[in-house]
Amino acid sequence: NAGVMQNPRHLVRRRGQEARLRCSPMKGHSHVYWYRQLPEEGLKFMVYLQKENIIDESGMPKERFSAEFPKEGPSILRIQQVVRGDSAAYFCASSPTGRDSPLHFGNGTRLTVT
Amino acid sequence: GIQVEQSPPDLILQEGANSTLRCNFSDSVNNLQWFHQNPWGQLINLFYIPSGTKQNGRLSATTVATERYSLLYISSSQTTDSGVYFCAAHTGTASKLTFGTGTRLQVTL
């Protein structure tokens, strides 16, 4: 059973470009979470999605950031017009039943904005 | 929202030593999990433990929900135990897991 798959592992973007981060949850998991981690810091919640629905986006910046989890295909975290402050590691996690089950993380995407 | 605090923030151990990491949370929780982030950045789920005690090899965890804390025990530590240990909690109707600031562990030879 493959784990949570994130790609790309590393992403370099220039200021003003768009970044697209992909996450395929574990098989049988329909709940996806995105977290951001700055260097030497903890994980900050961004958004929680179930298939085709955003359940909680309270941690996501109101502008430039969006997330989706379509019926078919991976979950996508999209950052438009990236700025240097967006440089961070972005982790995706999945679980089978949401908050009453263990969370399993992917290896993250390390975004560098130059 | 819930506050999750971990102690100590940093810990250095010699190989073979035992340690206890603590996680305090400000509200009653539905769900408490412990994670290990290794030096390569990978996050591994160690325990899902909303209450009681669980053991997995040299690691064990105890959550006392009524007193709002959880403990992670590491026995006979090895260099591969190095990294950052996070606890994280769900509370009430919140859908998100809130992470603590972590305990950075270094195990030396």
Side-chain angles (χ1 to χ4, degrees):
Chain A
N1 190 8
V4 179
M5 305 299 294
Q6 288 189 250
N7 65 80
R9 286 297 307 276
H10 300 275
L11 183 61
V12 180
R13 286 287 179 264
R14 292 181 178 174
R15 280 181 297 172
Q17 292 185 319
E18 178 179 288
R20 278 183 178 245
L21 288 62
R22 295 175 186 78
C23 170
S24 295
M26 288 179 69
K27 188 176 180 180
H29 289 194
S30 59
H31 298 253
V32 166
Y33 301 77
W34 285 94
Y35 282 80
R36 177 164 64 178
Q37 186 177 36
L38 295 172
E40 305 299 318
E41 293 190 10
L43 287 95
K44 301 299 183 186
F45 169 80
M46 298 183 74
V47 61
Y48 164 41
L49 311 102
Q50 293 182 42
K51 281 287 187 181
E52 300 184 273
N53 291 304
I54 297 174
I55 307 302
D56 182 351
E57 56 181 348
S58 59
M60 199 135 78
K62 293 289 186 286
E63 297 179 355
R64 303 188 298 109
F65 285 72
S66 63
E68 62 177 10
F69 189 15
K71 186 177 180 180
E72 301 291 337
S75 176
I76 305 289
L77 179 67
R78 182 182 178 205
I79 311 172
Q80 295 178 289
Q81 299 175 331
V82 296
V83 300
R84 288 206 174 130
D86 297 332
S87 295
Y90 292 83
F91 287 92
C92 167
S94 74
S95 70
T97 60
R99 66 182 194 173
D100 295 326
S101 54
L103 218 56
H104 296 275
F105 279 88
N107 287 335
T109 293
R110 279 140 187 88
L111 172 66
T112 302
V113 179
T114 61
Chain B
I2 189 173
Q3 304 298 313
V4 181
E5 296 182 353
Q6 293 185 242
S7 61
D10 297 279
L11 186 59
I12 300 176
L13 297 175
Q14 272 201 319
E15 197 172 43
N18 303 327
S19 64
T20 300
L21 281 57
R22 188 176 179 101
C23 173
N24 291 329
F25 34 92
S26 61
D27 203 349
S28 56
V29 297
N30 305 106
N31 169 346
L32 191 291
Q33 302 187 38
W34 283 95
F35 297 87
H36 175 221
Q37 187 168 36
N38 65 24
W40 296 271
Q42 295 174 314
L43 279 155
I44 306 299
N45 191 307
L46 299 175
F47 293 101
Y48 170 83
I49 185 164
S51 64
T53 297
K54 289 186 177 179
Q55 181 151 9
N56 184 1
R58 295 181 297 102
L59 302 181
S60 65
T62 295
T63 296
V64 184
T66 53
E67 298 187 20
R68 300 184 183 175
Y69 73 88
S70 183
L71 302 174
L72 178 69
Y73 305 95
I74 305 174
S75 63
S76 305
S77 57
Q78 300 177 358
T79 55
T80 52
D81 295 331
S82 296
V84 183
Y85 289 81
F86 292 103
C87 66
H90 268 135
T91 182
T93 57
S95 55
K96 65 184 182 184
L97 204 59
T98 298
F99 279 74
T101 50
T103 291
R104 184 174 299 276
L105 173 65
Q106 183 180 353
V107 181
T108 62
L109 292 171

